[in-house]
């Protein structure tokens, strides 16, 4: 600094010129980082242009010899501005010229405080409180609220109102949304509050599984098979809420119930159970300690009904990848004490499906190991290799994928129907 402390007040106004806009921004950054901390009495400006140095020299009395580095004494700058009657401080002058200066540290601390208040779980449903303790909860909440703490608070309150009404007994999702939130579409797929509710429900149902965001594509099923819409239906269905309750009903044959007069179908005749029926008025299954056979393809049910009729063992079809109705039915049967055995296609898609059914529906393999694949090859008609090189490991038999990859031939479930029907004969 110059030894002469005198400053011409008329020169102060030069600070507001457009040619010094970058200089002002550099000085603003000091206050953005440190606020008006009295311990930060000054700061350095470096890499000054000739114009910037000349202006500062005139403003605060720097020596005429140019330099690229100057230390600014904030108190002296404040005094000069006060003497000129322009502002009470450099901080105030910079705000007058270019708008409010936000102290980043204070703003960050304030934001963290607001989010801590939002996510402390006070007064919320226990499912929300438990979910908020998870590692991904706050990140998901910030995303769906677009980083707005007040919006997040509202979403949690809305989710609380929804969860207060669960579990339901076959209530449609639209009716739940209307009752809890006054908007029949508030819980539609992709709605922010629906995402929060589903995340809380999924967290509560998970036992050691990785937390997920049900509103997005998930890899919840084995082998990275992504089926988000079905997963959402499953989560709602576990709480007695129906979504597309008539879509993809579950095909079955000869499932026993305690009261035969209330049987869902005539003996020997294939029939369907909708998700609506399974959740609202589930049959009283009489399956304790019984084997329930599960197949992938509807043709197996048709063949079994034609050949065995009422003499066929209980049989359920997943119809490919099981949707909500199939998974609810299989869970009901498993909860009632049944042992579930599964068979599917010997191809990579079939192994994908089987991995899911085994893990998510509690099934064990039924004539679906490597030795059964090799036996089926012996009677299969000759054909070209039709399996792609990329294999899918079977969770229940590590040798199965190796055998299939080695021979390169797929075998449809219908090709071994006779063997399956023999097992189904009671």
């Amino acid at each position: 600094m110059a030894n002469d402390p005198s400053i011409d007040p008329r020169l102060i106004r030069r600070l507001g010129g457009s040619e010094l806009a970058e200089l002002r921004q550099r000085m603003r950054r000091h206050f953005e980082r440190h606020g008006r901390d009295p311990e930060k009495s000054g700061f350095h400006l470096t890499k000054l242009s000739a114009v910037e140095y000349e202006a500062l020299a005139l403003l605060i009395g720097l020596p005429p010899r140019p330099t690229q580095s100057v230390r600014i004494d904030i108190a002296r700058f404040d005094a000069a501005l006060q003497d000129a009657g322009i502002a009470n401080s450099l901080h105030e002058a910079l705000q007058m010229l270019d708008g409010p200066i936000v102290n980043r540290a204070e703003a960050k601390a304030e934001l963290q405080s607001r989010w801590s208040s939002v996510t402390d779980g006070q007064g919320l449903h226990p499912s929300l409180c438990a979910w908020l303790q998870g590692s991904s909860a706050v990140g998901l909440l910030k995303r769906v609220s677009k980083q707005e703490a007040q919006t997040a608070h509202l979403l949690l309150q809305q989710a609380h109102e929804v969860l207060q009404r669960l579990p339901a007994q076959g209530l449609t999702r639209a009716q739940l949304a209307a009752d809890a939130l006054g908007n029949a579409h508030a819980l539609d797929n992709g709605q922010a509050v629906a995402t929060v509710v589903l995340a809380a429900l999924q967290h509560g149902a998970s036992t050691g599984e990785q937390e997920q965001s049900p509103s997005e594509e998930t890899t919840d099923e084995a082998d990275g098979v992504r089926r988000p819409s079905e997963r959402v239906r499953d989560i709602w269905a576990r709480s007695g809420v129906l979504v597309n309750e008539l879509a993809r009903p579950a095909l079955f044959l000869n499932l026993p119930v305690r009261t035969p007069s209330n049987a869902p179908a005539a003996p020997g005749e294939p029939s369907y159970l909708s998700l609506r029926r399974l959740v609202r008025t589930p049959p009283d299954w009489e399956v304790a300690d019984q084997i329930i056979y599960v197949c992938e393809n509807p043709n197996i049910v048709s063949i079994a009904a034609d050949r065995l009729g009422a003499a066929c063992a209980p049989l359920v079809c997943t119809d490919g990848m099981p949707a909500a109705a199939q998974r609810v039915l299989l869970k009901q049967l498993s909860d009632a004490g049944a042992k579930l055995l599964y068979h599917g296609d010997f191809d990579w898609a079939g192994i994908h499906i089987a991995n899911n059914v085994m893990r998510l529906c509690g099934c064990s393999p039924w004539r679906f190991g490597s030795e059964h694949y090799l036996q089926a090859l012996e009677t299969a008609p000759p054909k070209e290799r039709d399996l792609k090189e990329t294999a899918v490991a079977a969770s229940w038999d590590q040798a199965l994928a190796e055998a299939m990859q080695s021979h390169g031939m797929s075998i449809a479930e219908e090709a071994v129907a006779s063997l399956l029907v023999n097992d189904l004969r009671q």
Side-chain angles (χ1 to χ4, degrees), residues 102-151:
V102 177
N103 185 327
R104 295 174 184 173
E106 290 180 357
K108 182 178 180 180
E110 181 182 356
L111 183 61
Q112 289 176 339
S113 176
R114 288 204 303 268
W115 276 104
S116 295
S117 177
V118 168
T119 59
D120 64 6
Q122 290 295 320
L124 295 176
H125 190 277
S127 296
L128 283 173
C129 295
W131 172 64
L132 287 170
Q133 301 304 310
S135 60
S136 63
V138 175
L140 184 149
L141 187 59
K142 286 183 176 181
R143 178 174 59 77
V144 297
S145 66
K146 303 186 186 309
Q147 303 291 328
E148 292 291 337
Q150 185 58 38
T151 301

Side-chain angles (χ1 to χ4, degrees), residues 67-363:
T67 178
Q68 291 187 329
S69 178
V70 170
R71 175 170 174 77
I72 298 298
D73 186 305
I74 296 176
R76 184 175 181 188
F77 226 128
D78 290 348
L81 290 168
Q82 292 169 12
D83 291 343
I86 295 176
N88 292 321
S89 66
L90 175 59
H91 184 276
E92 181 180 293
L94 292 171
Q95 291 193 114
M96 291 168 58
L97 292 168
D98 297 308
I101 297 174
V102 177
N103 185 327
R104 295 174 184 173
E106 290 180 357
K108 182 178 180 180
E110 181 182 356
L111 183 61
Q112 289 176 339
S113 176
R114 288 204 303 268
W115 276 104
S116 295
S117 177
V118 168
T119 59
D120 64 6
Q122 290 295 320
L124 295 176
H125 190 277
S127 296
L128 283 173
C129 295
W131 172 64
L132 287 170
Q133 301 304 310
S135 60
S136 63
V138 175
L140 184 149
L141 187 59
K142 286 183 176 181
R143 178 174 59 77
V144 297
S145 66
K146 303 186 186 309
Q147 303 291 328
E148 292 291 337
Q150 185 58 38
T151 301
H153 174 75
L154 176 61
L155 287 175
L156 289 174
Q157 294 300 318
Q158 292 175 328
H160 169 82
E161 292 299 323
V162 174
L163 291 167
Q164 287 282 80
R165 291 166 168 79
L166 300 180
Q169 187 65 37
L171 185 67
T172 65
R173 181 175 62 178
Q175 188 62 58
L176 173 63
D179 291 346
L181 305 174
N183 178 356
H185 297 288
L187 295 175
D188 288 356
N189 288 349
Q191 293 297 313
V193 64
T195 299
V196 173
V197 171
L198 288 167
L201 291 174
Q202 175 67 353
H203 179 84
S206 298
T207 53
E209 295 180 7
Q210 184 178 1
E211 295 177 46
Q212 300 162 24
S213 171
S215 67
E216 300 179 335
E217 286 190 330
T218 70
T219 55
D220 173 64
E221 287 90 351
D223 308 312
V225 177
R226 299 176 182 267
R227 303 182 65 83
S229 60
E230 290 187 0
R231 193 65 186 137
V232 166
R233 287 201 296 272
D234 286 346
I235 298 170
W236 284 120
R238 282 198 298 266
S239 294
V241 179
L242 303 177
V243 180
N244 298 331
E245 65 267 29
L246 300 179
R248 289 196 66 191
L251 175 63
F252 70 96
L253 175 65
N254 295 343
L255 288 179
V257 293
R258 294 186 189 280
T259 307
S261 60
N262 293 328
E269 282 300 318
S271 189
Y272 289 91
L273 280 168
S274 68
L275 179 62
R276 178 186 178 94
R277 167 70 191 282
L278 287 166
V279 173
R280 287 193 174 188
T281 55
D284 189 9
W285 303 115
E286 182 67 66
V287 294
D289 300 321
Q290 290 196 41
I291 292 177
I292 305 295
Y293 292 93
V294 185
C295 62
E296 178 187 340
N297 299 283
N299 286 334
I300 299 300
V301 179
S302 178
I303 293 169
D306 290 342
R307 296 187 186 179
L308 302 177
C312 181
L315 180 63
V316 175
C317 178
T318 66
D319 193 8
M321 186 70 74
Q326 289 79 21
R327 288 165 72 164
V328 168
L329 174 57
L330 292 176
K331 186 176 187 306
Q332 287 182 359
L333 294 171
S334 177
D335 289 346
K339 179 180 180 181
L340 307 178
L341 300 182
Y342 178 80
H343 188 280
D345 290 330
F346 284 111
D347 58 22
W348 301 137
I351 303 304
H352 269 301
I353 294 170
N355 280 336
N356 282 271
V357 174
M358 301 291 187
R359 183 171 69 89
L360 299 175
C361 301
C363 292

